[in-house]
Amino acid sequence: MRTLCRLLAAWLLPCVASVASATTPGFGVMVHYLPDKHSIADVARFDVEGFADSLAQMRASHLILTLGQNNGQYIAPNAALEKLCPQSAANRPPRDLPLEIGRALQARGIALVLYLPFRAPQSDAYLMDCLGDISEQQPPPAAFVGRWAAVIRDWSERYGTLAAGWWFDGVYNTRGMSAEGWNALCSAARSGNGKRWLAFNSGEGPDRFAAKAAPCQNLMAGEFMQPPARPAATSGMQAGLTFHVLTPLGESWGQPTSPRFTADQVRSWIAEANARGGLFTLDLPLDAGFRFLPSHLALIRSATAPRARPVASNAHHQP
């Protein structure tokens, strides 16, 4: 059975024994922190150290962090994006939150995976136009692919070895993608760290969570709203993808509801992922103060707590 230390070593991340012993190999957290354009100032309030401490308390070994999604707001500056679309610069905070989070996680032996849609922000007309994109349900235009690769490369090089991977969402239509287009995107995603996890998500459920949607993909996207006890992923593993299951602990992605699962269920999924040399990730919401919900934190701490081993008695029966 491969431990996460071995996986991370393959991605050029140090795995210090004293730190790694406090993590649960293969278990990670996803966070949909997606401020809108009217709450950009809130990024300044984000308590990075408190956030990283909570992940350490949950014994997480990796974090998937959203840079942005479809509203045109990103939580970090990007020189390539500002050059291509100058009017969008006002929608980026001066604070580089992923850089700070990456450094805090590295100090705790936790890997950082960056989340970004495969396409331009679908709800921002200005960015869609200046990046040259169209509906994500249609094949991506070649001009857009080149521009988006430049944006990805800027973040990839900025975060370097702090970023252990990329998780690209919305890979719904890649018909007509040329080899040159894929090379541009894949090269950009590997820039700064050539051995990253690369996941491309083509959809949810038993038929798509393990699909290989890009030639450079090496990690299952894993999206599975109702994962069974033992998710079948034969096709993905045959394609050389690292096993991965990703599901929300609340009712849906980023929803602050009561946990859907028990600690025993979470523990069994982590064990299953480890048995396959892979990962299990829970999506968790943050409250208005950027803290994890107490009920979620408590459940996961229980699920990842080291199991006590029975101690053999040295007592002898006296006749």
Side-chain angles (χ1 to χ4, degrees):
M1 179 180 69
R2 289 185 297 174
T3 66
L4 190 65
C5 286
R6 291 173 184 167
L7 286 171
L8 295 185
W11 272 267
L12 303 181
L13 287 178
C15 188
V16 181
S18 61
V19 176
S21 63
T23 66
T24 298
F27 169 68
V29 170
M30 184 181 204
V31 168
H32 278 73
Y33 174 50
L34 300 167
D36 62 32
K37 299 171 186 178
H38 301 292
S39 62
I40 187 172
D42 288 344
V43 174
R45 297 192 297 108
F46 199 105
D47 179 4
V48 168
E49 291 299 318
F51 175 72
D53 281 344
S54 292
L55 289 167
Q57 289 172 27
M58 290 185 277
R59 304 176 182 88
S61 55
H62 64 275
L63 168 73
I64 302 177
L65 176 69
T66 49
L67 291 179
Q69 201 164 50
N70 282 315
N71 68 355
Q73 172 64 53
Y74 301 100
I75 61 171
N78 185 291
L81 184 57
E82 268 85 83
K83 182 177 180 179
L84 288 164
C85 307
Q87 294 179 33
S88 70
N91 296 324
R92 234 85 62 222
R95 183 183 190 186
D96 193 333
L97 192 56
L99 183 65
E100 293 182 35
I101 290 174
R103 288 170 174 166
L105 296 183
Q106 185 181 63
R108 293 164 174 81
I110 302 171
L112 173 65
V113 177
L114 301 171
Y115 168 110
L116 195 67
F118 183 67
R119 304 292 288 270
Q122 300 286 295
S123 299
D124 189 307
Y126 169 70
L127 282 174
M128 288 286 286
D129 181 65
C130 73
L131 290 171
D133 201 11
I134 55 178
S135 168
E136 63 185 0
Q137 302 300 327
Q138 300 178 47
F144 160 73
V145 172
R147 294 168 188 167
W148 200 229
V151 172
I152 294 169
R153 182 176 295 276
D154 186 277
W155 275 318
S156 284
E157 293 180 351
R158 176 189 296 268
Y159 301 125
T161 55
L162 287 178
W166 280 100
W167 198 94
F168 294 104
D169 204 1
V171 190
Y172 302 131
N173 194 329
T174 59
R175 292 194 310 272
M177 276 284 289
S178 66
E180 291 77 13
W182 279 122
N183 286 339
L185 286 172
C186 293
S187 174
R190 292 192 180 110
S191 184
N193 183 354
K195 296 185 178 180
R196 288 188 175 118
W197 285 314
L198 299 179
F200 292 78
N201 183 38
S202 59
E204 183 274 334
D207 297 326
R208 290 190 278 187
F209 88 103
K212 186 169 185 175
C216 58
Q217 182 171 347
N218 55 21
L219 174 69
M220 295 177 191
E223 185 178 350
F224 215 140
M225 285 297 296
Q226 300 293 338
R230 300 196 67 187
T234 304
S235 60
M237 298 187 82
Q238 288 176 343
L241 303 184
T242 296
F243 180 83
H244 182 212
V245 171
L246 165 66
T247 193
L249 183 57
E251 290 301 320
S252 189
W253 307 102
Q255 293 300 306
T257 63
S258 299
R260 295 189 297 151
F261 309 125
T262 66
D264 283 342
Q265 285 178 293
V266 171
R267 190 179 298 112
S268 67
W269 278 317
I270 295 171
E272 179 67 16
N274 272 288
R276 302 193 195 196
L279 310 175
F280 175 71
T281 307
L282 283 175
D283 175 75
L284 303 180
L286 298 177
D287 65 16
F290 316 121
R291 295 178 295 266
F292 293 104
L293 304 186
S295 62
H296 290 189
L297 182 59
L299 184 145
I300 293 173
R301 289 184 67 180
S302 173
T304 60
R307 306 301 293 271
R309 295 181 179 179
V311 178
S313 173
N314 291 323
H316 295 283
H317 176 68
Q318 300 293 328

